[in-house]
Amino acid sequence: MGNDTVKPVVKHDESNKPKEDYVHSVFESIASKYDMMNDINSFRQHKLWRKFAMKKMNIKPGNTAIDLCCGTCDWTISIANASETGHIVGLDFSQEMLNVGRQKVEKNGLDKQITLVQGNAMSLPYEDNSFDYATIGFGLRNVPDYTQVLTEMKRVVKPGGMVVCLELSKPTWQPFKGLYYFYFQNIMPLMSKLIAKKYEQYKWLPESLALFPGRKELAEVFRSIGLTRVEDHPLTGGIVALHIGIKENQDV
């Protein structure tokens, strides 16, 4: 794993427009309140989830990474701090989210190390074998085709590199499962309406999880695209899961 700076290349965009357009409108509209609502809706647990992911990733100085669906760049910044000198790319399709993220990047003095790119996670504008890590945090369930996104993540990491996904998941044990779904489907959208004046946008979140695979099913997707040494870790009773897979050295 090295610290080479990577350059974008132009690729054709063949995204699923109807879903992408709707999700794009959601995140464009909630960008200014996204961080505050993240703290409220997760009871600030999202900071602990990222800390756990970072420990598992074990980033070394000089490592490079691309953070997909980077949003307001909390994870992007954590990765850059761990890498110290490695080039980090944060990619998101929402310019409004990136605008918020850019302010945080500049505030942390990381604008020389982090490059923010408005782009499509379904078709990454980078060459094969460009990064040591490819990460996606709380964005995989929102893309038109999560297998395609994971395949792209695998493509752009170097042989021996790591594909990492931190995402909402589905708790399986009662009574916690019932309590969680009641909160997620009813209380959280109402809180978002009261605090952020957004209801339909946050109502989208439980809807986005309904068709998304559970923790073990997503681990099988990781294996199906050729990632090895796949790990899946349930967090906070299984409401979130961390998935990690390695691109084999001979896979170039």
Side-chain angles (χ1 to χ4, degrees), residues 53-54 56-57 66-67 75 133-137 150 153 157 162-166 222 227 242-245:
M54 291 294 294
K56 289 291 182 181
M57 289 166 66
I66 181 168
D67 184 25
W75 201 3
Y133 293 85
T135 62
I136 184 166
L150 290 172
M153 293 171 73
V157 296
M162 185 180 290
V163 173
V164 185
C165 174
L166 186 62
F222 268 59
L227 291 169
L242 173 67
H243 288 78
I244 294 173

Side-chain angles (χ1 to χ4, degrees), residues 2 18 21-22 44-45 60 71 79 82 85 112 118 154 177 193 217 221 232 238 241 249:
D21 287 348
Y22 177 71
R44 297 181 68 86
Q45 290 296 297
K60 304 298 184 186
I79 293 168
T85 57
K112 302 297 186 192
Q118 184 178 23
K154 178 193 172 192
K177 176 181 176 181
K193 180 180 181 180
E217 290 80 8
V221 176
D232 59 278
N249 286 322

Side-chain angles (χ1 to χ4, degrees), residues 181-228:
Y181 277 111
F182 180 80
Y183 168 78
F184 196 49
Q185 295 169 352
N186 298 283
I187 305 301
M188 190 182 73
L190 287 175
M191 289 173 60
S192 302
K193 180 180 181 180
L194 290 171
I195 299 170
K197 311 303 180 188
K198 306 289 184 182
Y199 178 75
E200 291 300 325
Q201 291 87 342
Y202 279 89
K203 190 171 179 290
W204 159 255
L205 293 178
E207 293 172 359
S208 70
L209 183 60
L211 299 177
F212 194 67
R215 175 170 57 92
K216 291 299 181 183
E217 290 80 8
L218 187 57
E220 286 305 314
V221 176
F222 268 59
R223 295 184 182 97
S224 74
I225 64 171
L227 291 169
T228 63

Side-chain angles (χ1 to χ4, degrees), residues 6-12 91 117 123-128 130-131 152 155-156:
V6 293
K7 303 294 184 183
V9 294
V10 177
K11 294 189 71 188
H12 181 55
L91 181 141
V117 176
S123 182
L124 298 178
Y126 293 94
E127 299 282 3
D128 297 357
S130 293
F131 302 93
E152 277 290 274
R155 179 183 67 78
V156 299

Side-chain angles (χ1 to χ4, degrees), residues 45 48-50 52-53 56 138 165-173 176 213-219 223 230-244:
Q45 290 296 297
L48 297 178
W49 298 330
R50 276 197 307 276
F52 179 82
K56 289 291 182 181
F138 305 103
C165 174
L166 186 62
E167 184 56 274
L168 294 178
S169 193
K170 301 174 179 180
T172 57
W173 54 275
F176 180 73
R215 175 170 57 92
K216 291 299 181 183
E217 290 80 8
L218 187 57
R223 295 184 182 97
V230 175
E231 301 177 20
D232 59 278
H233 302 275
L235 304 174
T236 315
I239 67 173
V240 164
L242 173 67
H243 288 78
I244 294 173

